[in-house]
Amino acid sequence: MFSVLPFQIKTADDPTFALEGSLAATILKWSEYQTDEYKKGLQQLVEMSNTLGCREGLCDALQKLGEFDLHKQAVVCLALKRKVLIDPTVADGVWEVISDLEWRKNVLVCVNYHVQALLIESLCTLLIENGGQWYSYLPHFIADLCEKEQDEEHRRLLFLYVIHTSLASDTVSAVHRLLRGEHKAKFMECVKEYRNRVETIRYDYPPWVAGKLRGLMASMHVL
């Protein structure tokens, strides 16, 4: 159920594929045979899927992500991960949320690591599909958080996300920003770790991967 969030609530008028059937109806029937606790949870999952199935509901939940408990955060991010693959109209709504600096400081940098990873994965998908301002700004949004992060482990993860989004967008300016800025000393170990990782397996990379890495690796020799 979680893997297909947001799932089909109503069966299509003329269904051809199984996914066009109502998974919600199956879940609700199944819930009748569960304990009260599990029954309530399944009913809530159907309600959330109904809300997250529309762009407005999903973007509103993303905006309020910091107010939710861990389980609900995971549900929202799983729904977002699937929605960005099947509904290109969500891009503008998601951009409006993530372009808010306060949201990034209070939500993106503070959520559980697994939730954060799901978010970054979805944002990278949107970056690849939309280009433009996503290419120009998303790596820098994360780099800004990375520069200001005080916790060493969180900073390391954010640095890896900067690399991830930079590779996805074929840009290196966000990496340059970190490694040439006033906090560049904080990233020396991160750079060393990443260089070693790449060097260990670089002969196994296909040519297109080696090509994408060339500019990034060159940018890491500015320290």
Side-chain angles (χ1 to χ4, degrees), residues 3-22:
S3 67
V4 294
L5 279 166
F7 45 74
Q8 190 79 9
I9 299 298
K10 296 181 180 180
T11 299
D13 294 335
D14 186 21
T16 301
F17 304 103
L19 289 176
E20 295 178 280
S22 173

Side-chain angles (χ1 to χ4, degrees), residues 151-182:
D151 182 85
E152 184 176 350
E153 179 60 18
H154 287 174
R155 186 168 58 245
R156 185 185 73 85
L157 291 173
L158 288 168
F159 181 77
L160 292 175
Y161 290 143
V162 172
I163 291 177
H164 188 57
T165 52
S166 295
L167 283 172
S169 59
D170 285 323
T171 62
V172 294
S173 59
V175 177
H176 280 176
R177 168 184 176 169
L178 294 178
L179 302 188
R180 292 177 174 172
E182 60 179 303

Side-chain angles (χ1 to χ4, degrees), residues 100-110 144-145 148:
D100 179 359
L101 175 59
E102 291 304 311
W103 183 88
R104 297 197 302 271
K105 290 188 333 188
N106 298 324
V107 178
L108 182 58
V109 78
C110 295
D144 178 62
L145 299 175
K148 298 172 182 175

Side-chain angles (χ1 to χ4, degrees), residues 14-188:
D14 186 21
T16 301
F17 304 103
L19 289 176
E20 295 178 280
S22 173
L23 181 57
T26 303
I27 293 172
L28 292 175
K29 288 179 181 178
W30 184 31
S31 72
E32 295 298 324
Y33 299 94
Q34 309 303 313
T35 63
D36 288 344
E37 180 183 1
Y38 285 110
K39 179 178 180 179
K40 182 179 179 181
L42 290 169
Q43 290 171 341
Q44 289 176 340
L45 186 61
V46 171
E47 292 172 3
M48 284 196 69
S49 184
N50 189 35
T51 299
L52 300 175
C54 68
R55 179 184 63 181
E56 293 78 11
L58 179 60
C59 292
D60 182 62
L62 183 62
Q63 179 69 53
K64 299 175 181 176
L65 194 68
E67 303 173 16
F68 302 152
D69 61 27
L70 178 58
H71 297 90
K72 193 170 182 179
Q73 287 179 349
V75 168
V76 172
C77 291
L78 286 167
L80 176 65
K81 181 180 175 181
R82 184 166 184 262
K83 195 71 170 172
V84 299
L85 295 173
I86 61 176
D87 184 1
T89 68
V90 303
D92 289 343
V94 174
W95 180 261
E96 186 176 345
V97 174
I98 69 165
S99 59
D100 179 359
L101 175 59
E102 291 304 311
W103 183 88
R104 297 197 302 271
K105 290 188 333 188
N106 298 324
V107 178
L108 182 58
V109 78
C110 295
V111 292
N112 173 274
Y113 163 71
H114 298 289
V115 173
Q116 188 184 59
L118 286 170
L119 272 174
I120 297 294
E121 184 176 354
S122 296
L123 296 180
C124 270
T125 299
L126 288 168
L127 178 152
I128 293 167
E129 291 179 349
N130 293 276
Q133 61 187 0
W134 289 85
Y135 273 25
S136 302
Y137 289 102
L138 182 58
H140 284 276
F141 284 167
I142 303 172
D144 178 62
L145 299 175
C146 188
E147 282 181 316
K148 298 172 182 175
E149 179 57 54
Q150 298 300 313
D151 182 85
E152 184 176 350
E153 179 60 18
H154 287 174
R155 186 168 58 245
R156 185 185 73 85
L157 291 173
L158 288 168
F159 181 77
L160 292 175
Y161 290 143
V162 172
I163 291 177
H164 188 57
T165 52
S166 295
L167 283 172
S169 59
D170 285 323
T171 62
V172 294
S173 59
V175 177
H176 280 176
R177 168 184 176 169
L178 294 178
L179 302 188
R180 292 177 174 172
E182 60 179 303
H183 301 293
K184 62 183 181 181
K186 294 180 179 179
F187 302 105
M188 292 183 66

